[in-house]
Amino acid sequence: MTTTPTTQADRVALVTGASGGIGRAVAERLAADGDAVVLLYSGGRQRADETLAAITERGGRAIALRADVADETEMAAAFDRAEQEFGGVDVVVNTAGVMVLAPVAELDLADLDRMHRVNIRGTFVVSQLAARRLRSGGALINFSTSVTRLQQPGYAAYAASKGAVEAMTLILARELRGRDITVNTVAPGPTATPLFLEGKPQDLVDRIADLNPMQRLGTPADIADSVAFLSGPTGRWTNGQTLYVNGGAA
C-alpha cells in the first residue's frame, strides 16, 4: 500500500493542457512549490517545451509528454511514465479543454462532438486513471467554467460540457471515500490568456473586465494560486467542491 509523501519535494503533479495559458501557469506554480511536474500537451509542443525550459532553468524537475486526454491508452502511458520518472503521482490537474461558441440553432454538431470528446470523455478518462493511481494524500483538480452560472448566449454547448465535468468530479469525491484523496473542480471566470484575448477589441475586453467587482480580468496566476491551494496541505479540508475563481462575477 502506498503512503503519503512526507515532503513537498516528494510530490509529483501531472498537468494536462500544460501548453495553454492556465496550464502553463499551474505547472510553473506547482514546480515552484517543489513538485516534480509531468507536462502533458496535445498540439502545442513548442509552448510545452517553453514551459519545460522555464521550470528546469529555475531548478525544477519536469518532463513534457504528448498525450490525448480522451485516449485511455495514451493517458495510461503518461501515468506509467510519471511513475517511472518520479515514483508515482500525487496531484492531477486537468486543464485541457476545447471551447467553440455559437447559438444552439447554429452550432455545427461536429464541434459539439469535439467538445464532448475532450471536455467530457477526456475528463472522465483522466479522472478514472487518477482514481486508480493517485497515492494516498493526493488531489485531483478538474476544470469547469463560471459560464455554467451566467447563462450567456452562445455558450450553451460549452457550458453543458463543463456542467458534466462538475457532476462527475463531485460524485467521484464521494466514491473515493476512505482513500484520503481530495477531488475538486476549479471554475475560472474570464482570464487574460492569449486564447481569450485573441480577436477581441479592447473595448470588449474592458466591458468583460468590468463585469466583476474587482473590475479586471483574472490572470493565469490567479487560477494557479487556487490550484496550489487545493492541491497543497492547506487545502485538505476542501473536498467535493466547485471553486468559482472569477473575482465575484457570478
Side-chain angles (χ1 to χ4, degrees):
M1 182 176 179
T2 55
T3 58
T4 305
T6 56
T7 69
Q8 184 86 11
D10 294 324
R11 295 199 323 172
V12 180
L14 186 151
V15 180
T16 75
S19 63
I22 290 175
R24 175 171 181 165
V26 167
E28 291 188 13
R29 171 58 191 272
L30 296 182
D33 286 348
D35 294 1
V37 183
V38 179
L39 310 166
L40 297 186
Y41 65 94
S42 177
R45 178 171 181 173
Q46 180 177 347
R47 295 190 301 274
D49 286 343
E50 290 169 358
T51 306
L52 177 63
I55 290 172
T56 56
E57 286 169 5
R58 299 186 186 108
R61 299 169 295 151
I63 58 172
L65 304 173
R66 186 190 178 283
D68 176 357
V69 291
D71 186 312
E72 64 272 28
T73 302
E74 291 187 12
M75 283 305 305
F79 274 77
D80 288 344
R81 182 71 184 279
E83 292 171 357
Q84 292 162 5
E85 291 284 336
F86 300 120
V89 179
D90 305 287
V91 176
V92 172
V93 186
N94 190 30
T95 76
V98 172
M99 180 173 66
V100 181
L101 304 181
V104 170
E106 300 172 14
L107 183 71
D108 188 322
L109 292 180
D111 290 328
L112 178 68
D113 291 342
R114 186 158 66 97
M115 282 191 284
H116 277 205
R117 185 178 188 278
V118 177
N119 297 353
I120 299 178
R121 178 185 169 88
T123 298
F124 196 97
V125 167
V126 172
S127 297
Q128 184 178 72
L129 286 163
R132 293 171 177 173
R133 301 175 71 165
L134 275 171
R135 294 191 282 199
S136 177
L140 167 63
I141 299 144
N142 285 323
F143 266 67
S144 179
T145 170
S146 289
V147 169
T148 56
R149 302 203 304 188
L150 295 176
Q151 296 88 47
Q152 290 177 285
Y155 282 82
Y158 177 66
S161 73
K162 290 301 189 176
V165 168
E166 292 184 18
M168 72 176 77
T169 303
L170 303 188
I171 291 171
L172 179 57
R174 278 78 181 168
E175 292 179 348
L176 294 185
R177 180 183 181 89
R179 291 275 305 279
D180 190 25
I181 293 171
T182 61
V183 186
N184 293 288
T185 307
V186 169
T191 304
T193 63
L195 181 63
F196 174 81
L197 296 172
E198 182 180 357
K200 290 184 175 68
Q202 188 59 47
D203 63 329
L204 175 59
V205 172
D206 292 341
R207 288 199 303 273
I208 294 171
D210 197 50
L211 291 175
N212 75 69
M214 307 300 287
Q215 296 183 298
R216 68 172 177 85
L217 295 177
T219 68
D222 290 325
I223 313 306
D225 285 344
S226 298
V227 171
F229 164 70
L230 290 172
S231 68
T234 59
R236 298 305 299 169
W237 197 236
T238 304
N239 188 30
Q241 304 299 316
T242 296
L243 180 61
Y244 292 90
V245 187
N246 57 29

